[in-house]
Amino acid sequence: MARFTALLIASASALAPQHSKVQTRRELGSALVGIAGAFGAQAANAAAGESPKFSFFGIGGNGGTYSEGAMYGSDQKDAVYSPYSVYGKLGDPKAVYKKYNDKEVAFKKAMFADSSKRVAKTKQYIEKKSWEDVRSELERQVYNMRGTMNYLAAASGKPEATAAAKKFYQDMEEVNLLSKRKKQAAALDAYATMMSSLEAYTKLI
């Protein structure tokens, strides 16, 4: 306390005008009161609005705040996503994505049905010798149809479904190749084989 008072007096002396060496008690008292008020205000402000504290990996920080001063989750009622996160886990297990769920499988099957219809109508293009239409229709289905069939085969859990899908891909490529070579009879035979493979696959999913 004596040290603080000495500091106030020294500060008051520093604030005094340099041209006057003699200070009245009233001037000195006013200076001391002003400086004390300034220090008091600063102390009050520091207590009320001091900078926030943070913890890093649960070390340090302000123990009085939510999940600070300890590892995240140690002062929370519900389990958190991880020791480094203040966010809780999802409460409803149904809200978590589940692969091969009913809605997703139904959506994939609808995509597969549409692709199957498009592949099936290539027969009329072969019969008309509209080779560009055959190739464009088959090549259009290559990526999406393969992805969909692979997904449904995996969802079924049947290894034979995966094998049937590969057989269909090979037959479809054969139809495409023969159409490029404009061999109508061979392309029609290959088409029949392709559709047979597609039917065998469809029964497995």
Side-chain angles (χ1 to χ4, degrees):
M1 185 66 181
R3 185 176 181 183
F4 179 72
T5 304
L7 178 61
L8 291 179
I9 295 173
S11 300
S13 300
L15 293 174
Q18 296 299 319
H19 67 275
S20 177
K21 296 181 179 180
V22 180
Q23 299 293 321
T24 63
R25 289 184 178 181
R26 182 176 297 176
E27 292 172 336
L28 183 59
S30 298
L32 289 173
V33 170
I35 294 172
F39 273 94
Q42 290 178 1
N45 289 335
E50 62 183 2
S51 299
K53 297 178 180 179
F54 302 94
S55 68
F56 298 93
F57 303 104
I59 301 174
N62 187 352
T65 59
Y66 198 55
S67 275
E68 292 292 345
M71 179 174 287
Y72 286 130
S74 65
D75 59 347
Q76 292 179 226
K77 179 181 177 181
D78 299 324
V80 293
Y81 178 75
S82 77
Y84 311 111
S85 171
V86 296
Y87 300 104
K89 296 180 179 179
L90 293 174
D92 185 5
K94 295 180 181 179
V96 179
Y97 169 75
K98 183 180 178 181
K99 196 173 183 180
Y100 307 134
N101 62 77
D102 293 341
K103 289 185 178 180
E104 190 174 71
V105 170
F107 177 75
K108 293 289 187 179
K109 284 187 175 181
M111 290 179 62
F112 170 69
D114 181 68
S115 295
S116 297
K117 291 178 182 178
R118 292 178 177 274
V119 168
K121 75 178 184 179
T122 56
K123 182 179 181 180
Q124 61 185 352
Y125 297 142
I126 297 173
E127 292 173 340
K128 295 177 182 179
K129 296 184 179 181
S130 183
W131 306 117
E132 288 298 326
D133 289 329
V134 176
R135 293 199 301 270
S136 63
E137 195 65 68
L138 292 179
E139 290 174 0
R140 187 182 297 122
Q141 301 305 318
V142 168
Y143 180 78
N144 288 335
M145 196 170 187
R146 286 193 179 196
T148 302
M149 291 177 70
N150 288 340
Y151 173 92
L152 292 173
S156 71
K158 300 175 182 177
E160 57 268 32
T162 301
K166 292 181 179 179
K167 176 66 167 58
F168 168 76
Y169 306 150
Q170 294 171 354
D171 294 339
M172 185 170 63
E173 290 173 358
E174 183 69 13
V175 174
N176 193 27
L177 177 62
L178 293 171
S179 296
K180 288 181 179 179
R181 295 177 177 176
K182 300 180 181 181
K183 295 183 177 181
Q184 186 183 43
L188 286 171
D189 289 341
Y191 170 86
T193 302
M194 176 184 72
M195 295 307 296
S196 178
S197 297
L198 184 61
E199 183 180 2
Y201 168 85
T202 304
K203 291 179 180 179
L204 293 170
I205 61 172

